[in-house]
Amino acid sequence: MAHRVALRSIRTLHRWRKQAGTPAADVARLQAILNAAVAAIITADEFGTIVDVNPATEKLFGYRSDELMGARVDILLSRPELSRQEFLKTDFANSNPAKPRQILGRRKDGTVIPLHLAVGSFTLNGRRYFTGILFDETDRKEFERNLRSALSAANMVAMKWDCRTNIVSVTSGGALTAPTRSVTTVDQLLKSIDPDDVSEFRREVLLSGKTRKPFRIVLRQSNPAGQSQWLELDAQTEADDNGNPLFVHGILRDVTESKREEARRELLLAEIAHRGKNLLAVVQSIAAVTFRGDRHMEAARAEFEQRLAALARSQALLSEQEWSGVELADIVSLELAAYATQAVIEVDAIRLKPSAAQSMSLIIHELATNAAKYGALSVPQGEIIFSARLQQQEDDEVLQLSWKERGGPPVNPPCRKGYGSFLIEELLEGMAKESRVDFHPEGLVVEATIATAQLRPAHKTWVFTRADKRPDSKSPAVLV
């Protein structure tokens, strides 16, 4: 609207200058108004020769008015031939002035600047003239670049939907996979969005237009790789007086990671609740084994506390890993830390699921406790050999566990099964495909085979002998 008024004023001024009898005061007043304009105003004839400029033109381009008068408009344009045609183009078949557009100008020092150009035309004394009103877009372009950078860094896109033309304009969107073009239709934009979310979006647009309030909605879509993605839209509808939508302005942000984190937290809470119930059952089972019969209460209490401590250590490891599983090597290192100088250990990278981690922690604790009291760990020259290896068994792959003691006191088969042995066999029965406990004269041997249904790949293999060996890398596996 402003540039239309300015163009009419210029036509009037040029007409007054050519007409006799026009009051000089009127001409001076109109000239003063145009001279005070902040936009550059240039008038050229149909050949592109400049016939008039205002002071803002001198300031914008760095030329004096006497340098511009009579010069071709080309000197002010970045690409003279193409830009001169743009300057003189008005599309009179549809409107006068022509629709404003973007061009590049050139200052006297050679600096190229972005310009917003509106051109109008008038005829005076049989000659046609073109007047251009130009605004420096440098600051706005810089602001837009900074805004696009900020939005991209925040993984957002800004959008504007023209409800009348169905055209959507968007900024670049960082890691967003849609939209991929700066201008598209709303139908194309919503093509990959879940139909239920599309319906809700359209309802929110209509409601916002009537209430004049912003809205927020989460849109689910499938990206080009077929993966689910969540986009959060904060928007507001610009409507006419009757509440009919004209434009929708909004910000889209990728909230996929936060949605996945939310789902993971919910799953973790459910897992913790489930594991809490299982943990109580394990504690109850340990208590039943420890306090059965007519045992001395002090001895039974000490064993119970030690077993609870082993269980607590496995729980701590699980908590550190957010209940996703525990490396067997971590359990072994905790339970056998006090006997590292008497241990030879070879363990594939085996990751235990929570229930298996609890059982394995208790098994190793009981084996180490019995060895320290009665077996190889009760004398300085004794040692234990513990291994956990993947082996091929017929058409199936299994995990073979082995605990062997040597160098300790001679072993005699017990007259009756102790509480530790009973607990070990009970735990192995719950997780092993096959297991055996043998009391060889040279030392206790415990072996167990874990079915492949309980295995999955891990990341590393631990191989260390006694306390001075470090982890090494081999084929991994996971016990789940």
Side-chain angles (χ1 to χ4, degrees), residues 224-238:
Q227 300 172 326
S228 295
Q229 187 177 21
W230 285 263
L231 306 176
E232 186 176 75
L233 172 64
D234 283 291
Q236 183 161 6
T237 303
E238 180 183 341

Side-chain angles (χ1 to χ4, degrees), residues 21 28 38 52 67 73 83 101 114-115 172 180 237 260 266 298 300 323 335 348 380 470:
V38 295
D52 194 20
E67 293 177 294
V73 72
S83 298
R101 52 192 173 273
L115 298 171
S172 58
T180 57
T237 303
R260 288 176 179 167
E266 292 176 357
E298 290 300 322
W323 292 83
E335 297 301 330
D348 282 345
R470 308 301 299 172

Side-chain angles (χ1 to χ4, degrees), residues 46 53 60 76 122 177 220 240 297 341 428 435 459 461 473:
E46 56 189 332
V53 296
L60 176 61
L76 304 179
F122 62 94
T177 59
R220 295 162 294 174
D240 60 20
M297 184 56 66
T341 58
L428 285 175
S435 65
H459 310 293
T461 295
S473 178

